[in-house]
Amino acid sequence: MSSEWPLWEVFIRGQHGLHHRHVGSLHAPDAEMAICNARDVYTRRNEGVSIWVVKSSDITASSPSEKGPLFEPSNAKVYRHPTFFEIPSEVGHM
Amino acid sequence: MYAQMVKAEGAKAREEMSEQERAFQDRIDRGEKIEPKDWMPEGYRKTLIRQIGQHAHSEIVGQLPEGNWITRAPTLERKAILLAKVQDEAGHGLYLYSAAETLGVSRDELLAALHGGRMKYSSIFNYPTLTWADIGMVGWLVDGAAIMNQVQLQKTSYGPYSRAMIRICKEESFHQRQGYDILMKMCLQGTPEQKAMAQDAMNRFWYPALMMFGPPDRDSVHSAQSMQWKIKINTNDELRQKFVDQTVPQAEYLGLTIPDPKLKWNDAKGGYDFSEPDWTEFFEVIAGNGPCNTERMEARITAWEDGAWFRKGLMAHARKRDARRAAARLAAE
């Protein structure tokens, strides 16, 4: 059996109140070690207050070839943006 | 430079490209980043694996000449700083290996290629660090040259590589400053012996530092394609010139002499004229015949082999615990 450690994706919350953000990946034998390694690899300069690790093999990603079917439909729905509607200035801030 | 002489496939003219290749080149020309799952020409993938892999190997092997001085740093503070720097180099290697892995090569394959001599690392790390002044010189000149190269690579077309470079550049300027700080102490406040030590280090590291940018453009056969793909942004000679222009005033401040009698400001080109390094020596070092090639590879391979039981052990432990947890979950259902 291969002894190569599995790959983990690392997400870090930079400050309280922000989302966790993907920062990169690393190898580790298990989740606990992945957190330890992520601490050393990605937060040597106070970059975070919280770490998530997820096995890369557990991530399902959309494929670049689906870009059209996935995202184009929303382009046609301009009324989803507030700027689509014109509100008379007499009405005031809305 | 951390990636010297990376073999690239020959550049293609637009007419020779397939429709897919043309669309790919258009994306690059528009400044779009290429991401791991996007279609890419096989040559682009291969060249990037070579370049990012070589870059990663350089970071890891680059720990060795500096690690040499951790136990002998002159003060506790210098020791702590050097430790932090060497730890950063390990981190930089890891960012880069991860970037290479997104191209479909495994970490173990990359390491096996390094240990088997099929992949290279920067020639600079095959020179010894004989005195404490060498550690200053490595930080100032070697990391200075590295930064010069890496700053332009932040704009490279491959997303994961570019992001690794941005991260690395943020951390790297501490490295150069700590080196310069060591030399300021030795040259401006030190004894005549310490100053002589710094000059000796300068004499030994100057030309190897210039070699880091790779062979002159006239001999650099792989540049055209790499630049077309924006894997490389500036040519070797452009970066070398920039490095010399930046470094000369810094050397003057320290009172160090650059070991080049031909070094002279050229008003017309707005830069310094300088002597080229001995390219025969460069090719010898790349071929494995530098002063420390054997020692560096032995240290790498020994570390890898000595750690094998540990890597396996942790993996076995993780598998056992997973199995136990799965069994417990099943029993509870």
Side-chain angles (χ1 to χ4, degrees):
Chain A
M1 213 186 269
S2 160
S3 65
E4 191 169 12
W5 293 347
L7 196 63
W8 301 76
E9 300 301 323
V10 181
F11 299 80
I12 288 175
R13 187 198 297 284
Q15 285 171 38
H16 292 291
L18 295 184
H19 287 294
H20 282 78
R21 237 183 65 168
H22 183 242
V23 293
S25 50
L26 50 76
H27 287 272
D30 55 34
E32 288 80 356
M33 283 297 296
I35 295 265
C36 290
N37 291 352
R39 200 272 315 246
D40 289 344
V41 178
Y42 292 105
T43 66
R44 289 194 301 281
R45 286 174 177 77
N46 261 330
E47 288 96 335
V49 292
S50 159
I51 304 175
W52 288 347
V53 292
V54 182
K55 245 188 201 171
S56 308
S57 57
D58 288 339
I59 291 186
T60 310
S62 68
S63 115
S65 61
E66 297 164 33
K67 211 163 98 190
L70 279 179
F71 305 115
E72 264 162 28
S74 77
N75 287 346
K77 299 176 179 61
V78 281
Y79 40 80
R80 280 184 172 153
H81 298 280
T83 48
F84 178 77
F85 305 93
E86 247 176 74
I87 303 291
S89 54
E90 299 93 289
V91 177
H93 178 76
M94 186 182 286
Chain B
M1 42 109 7
Y2 265 22
Q4 302 151 321
M5 307 199 49
V6 173
K7 232 179 105 207
E9 324 293 314
K12 267 192 192 169
R14 239 190 125 69
E15 312 74 77
E16 296 171 54
M17 290 179 190
S18 69
E19 204 179 310
Q20 213 169 18
E21 286 172 329
R22 251 198 306 270
F24 177 80
Q25 188 62 49
D26 288 343
R27 289 189 63 193
I28 290 185
D29 294 343
R30 281 198 300 270
E32 275 181 37
K33 296 285 182 224
I34 307 301
E35 295 297 337
K37 286 184 145 193
D38 295 346
W39 182 86
M40 57 185 85
E42 204 37 42
Y44 179 84
R45 180 192 306 278
K46 277 194 191 145
T47 307
L48 269 177
I49 290 176
R50 284 190 206 115
Q51 179 167 329
I52 303 174
Q54 192 182 113
H55 200 151
H57 296 328
S58 298
E59 300 283 355
I60 299 297
V61 177
Q63 296 181 101
L64 298 170
E66 293 188 291
N68 183 32
W69 279 90
I70 289 175
T71 54
R72 287 174 284 164
T75 67
L76 189 56
E77 189 187 38
R78 292 282 184 203
K79 180 179 177 142
I81 294 171
L82 186 57
L83 257 175
K85 179 190 187 292
V86 173
Q87 191 194 12
D88 268 356
E89 305 298 0
H92 296 176
L94 295 177
Y95 306 154
L96 287 160
Y97 281 126
S98 296
E101 284 172 277
T102 61
L103 292 158
V105 62
S106 82
R107 181 82 52 102
D108 280 9
E109 279 164 358
L110 288 167
L111 289 173
L114 170 69
H115 298 159
R118 296 185 304 283
M119 278 182 95
K120 308 272 184 221
Y121 54 91
S122 176
S123 57
I124 191 72
F125 302 119
N126 291 311
Y127 291 88
T129 42
L130 304 176
T131 69
W132 176 247
D134 288 14
I135 295 305
M137 212 48 80
V138 166
W140 172 41
L141 293 183
V142 175
D143 288 304
I147 291 170
M148 193 60 76
N149 183 48
Q150 291 171 164
V151 162
Q152 49 125 17
L153 282 175
Q154 293 179 95
K155 286 185 268 173
T156 195
S157 63
Y158 189 55
Y161 192 26
S162 157
R163 292 191 284 273
M165 280 298 117
I166 290 169
R167 236 192 134 79
I168 289 174
C169 283
K170 246 189 237 162
E171 300 180 346
E172 195 88 52
S173 71
F174 137 61
H175 297 182
Q176 191 184 16
R177 282 177 177 220
Q178 68 86 34
Y180 200 69
D181 188 65
I182 290 174
L183 292 170
M184 282 202 297
K185 198 84 172 180
M186 293 183 86
C187 294
L188 305 177
Q189 297 168 38
T191 61
E193 288 83 358
Q194 286 170 323
K195 202 170 168 201
M197 200 185 268
Q199 183 62 54
D200 171 62
M202 175 101 222
N203 296 347
R204 283 180 289 110
F205 274 95
W206 176 250
Y207 288 104
L210 294 186
M211 290 177 199
M212 288 175 65
F213 298 95
D217 293 348
R218 59 174 187 274
D219 300 333
S220 192
V221 285
H222 309 301
S223 286
Q225 176 65 85
S226 287
M227 292 183 83
Q228 189 179 29
W229 278 332
K230 293 195 189 152
I231 287 175
K232 216 171 150 173
I233 311 290
N234 292 107
T235 73
N236 297 350
D237 285 339
E238 281 167 10
L239 291 170
R240 194 167 10 247
Q241 181 70 52
K242 257 176 110 173
F243 174 71
V244 172
D245 293 345
Q246 172 192 284
T247 307
V248 172
Q250 296 169 353
E252 279 166 1
Y253 183 83
L254 294 173
L256 291 176
T257 308
I258 291 178
D260 179 1
K262 285 197 194 142
L263 185 87
K264 204 171 153 249
W265 178 257
N266 179 334
D267 238 346
K269 79 169 176 187
Y272 285 90
D273 289 330
F274 57 95
S275 305
E276 285 190 29
D278 176 358
W279 294 116
T280 324
E281 175 182 320
F282 170 73
F283 288 112
E284 277 295 309
V285 175
I286 288 277
N289 305 318
C292 299
N293 294 59
T294 315
E295 188 185 326
R296 299 287 183 250
M297 265 314 94
E298 267 171 17
R300 270 299 317 158
I301 293 169
T302 308
W304 179 248
E305 287 176 354
D306 286 355
W309 68 271
F310 181 72
R311 292 192 301 276
K312 256 186 223 160
L314 286 187
M315 205 57 232
H317 172 68
R319 278 192 188 115
K320 243 190 222 166
R321 207 183 32 194
D322 281 351
R324 250 198 322 265
R325 278 181 189 163
R329 248 199 319 271
L330 211 62
E333 273 170 17

